[in-house]
Amino acid sequence: MTTALLLLLPLLAAAGPDAARPDFSGTWERTDAEPERPSVASTGDLSFRSGSMGSGWGSPLTLRQDARALVVEYVHFSAYDLQPPVRLTFALDGSDSTNAVMIGHAASAQRSRAAWRDRTLVITTELAGPEPGRSVQVRQALTLESPDTLQVETTREASGGAPPSVTRTTYARRQEPPAGR
């Protein structure tokens, strides 16, 4: 028995903490219900969502993950805007990740850092605030509640002492139809 345990120890050590980390890869649809209000556009636009800011990411949401990075991709613009999907890449080794986001007339650089807390991936992003010297920190904690349920808890905290805002957004894994259909 002791010999068998000694033989298994190197295998368990080689698996390390990465073995327990979930793979978030897939296409996810938001499932928490919030009322929608009509668009202000006369035609051709999607309706705007009301309620909380949610995860800060759209729906559907496509996640791709490998040992080095998590890539988040979602459509932010309508089809007639002719803009590519928003694509954010986060290094999973704890180093800084910089993403250029163009929503409006100028690109904005967002600096983020991802860290594992057990089976939850926490992405912390610092954003410039609307006033000079002010900033907003956004923490998105991704947890697989089940193989087909993703929970994103988003905490937004502004400098200057305002209380933080916390939202929880639930996504379900989109089931892709079998090939050939």
Side-chain angles (χ1 to χ4, degrees), residues 48-121:
F48 295 111
R49 296 189 64 86
S50 63
S52 76
M53 292 185 280
S55 68
W57 297 332
S59 179
L61 173 68
T62 300
L63 303 177
R64 289 185 306 280
Q65 180 179 342
D66 60 26
R68 297 179 307 114
L70 174 73
V71 177
V72 177
E73 189 172 276
Y74 60 94
V75 174
H76 179 75
F77 301 96
S78 66
Y80 65 83
D81 286 326
L82 302 175
Q83 295 293 320
V86 174
R87 180 177 294 133
L88 307 168
T89 302
F90 304 102
L92 295 178
D93 64 1
S95 63
D96 281 348
S97 301
T98 302
N99 290 289
V101 178
M102 180 116 160
I103 298 178
H105 298 288
S108 166
Q110 298 180 357
R111 196 176 76 234
S112 304
R113 190 172 286 233
W116 289 99
R117 292 189 187 146
D118 297 321
R119 297 182 50 78
T120 298
L121 179 64

Side-chain angles (χ1 to χ4, degrees), residues 15-181:
D18 292 342
R21 293 181 178 158
D23 184 351
F24 299 109
S25 296
T27 301
W28 301 89
E29 297 270 354
R30 188 173 179 168
T31 59
D32 48 353
E34 286 189 34
E36 291 186 350
R37 60 184 169 90
S39 169
V40 295
S42 58
T43 61
D45 201 1
L46 298 174
S47 59
F48 295 111
R49 296 189 64 86
S50 63
S52 76
M53 292 185 280
S55 68
W57 297 332
S59 179
L61 173 68
T62 300
L63 303 177
R64 289 185 306 280
Q65 180 179 342
D66 60 26
R68 297 179 307 114
L70 174 73
V71 177
V72 177
E73 189 172 276
Y74 60 94
V75 174
H76 179 75
F77 301 96
S78 66
Y80 65 83
D81 286 326
L82 302 175
Q83 295 293 320
V86 174
R87 180 177 294 133
L88 307 168
T89 302
F90 304 102
L92 295 178
D93 64 1
S95 63
D96 281 348
S97 301
T98 302
N99 290 289
V101 178
M102 180 116 160
I103 298 178
H105 298 288
S108 166
Q110 298 180 357
R111 196 176 76 234
S112 304
R113 190 172 286 233
W116 289 99
R117 292 189 187 146
D118 297 321
R119 297 182 50 78
T120 298
L121 179 64
V122 179
I123 300 168
T124 303
T125 304
E126 293 288 333
L127 304 170
E131 299 171 14
R134 307 273 298 218
S135 65
V136 176
Q137 183 181 73
V138 178
R139 284 186 310 279
Q140 295 158 305
L142 287 72
T143 306
L144 280 182
E145 299 291 325
S146 75
D148 293 326
T149 305
L150 172 66
Q151 180 83 32
V152 181
E153 181 178 286
T154 305
T155 304
R156 294 168 180 88
E157 193 167 357
S159 62
S165 159
V166 179
T167 59
R168 288 172 189 81
T169 308
T170 305
Y171 292 89
R173 187 182 302 273
R174 181 189 282 178
Q175 301 302 320
E176 300 299 326
R181 287 194 183 189

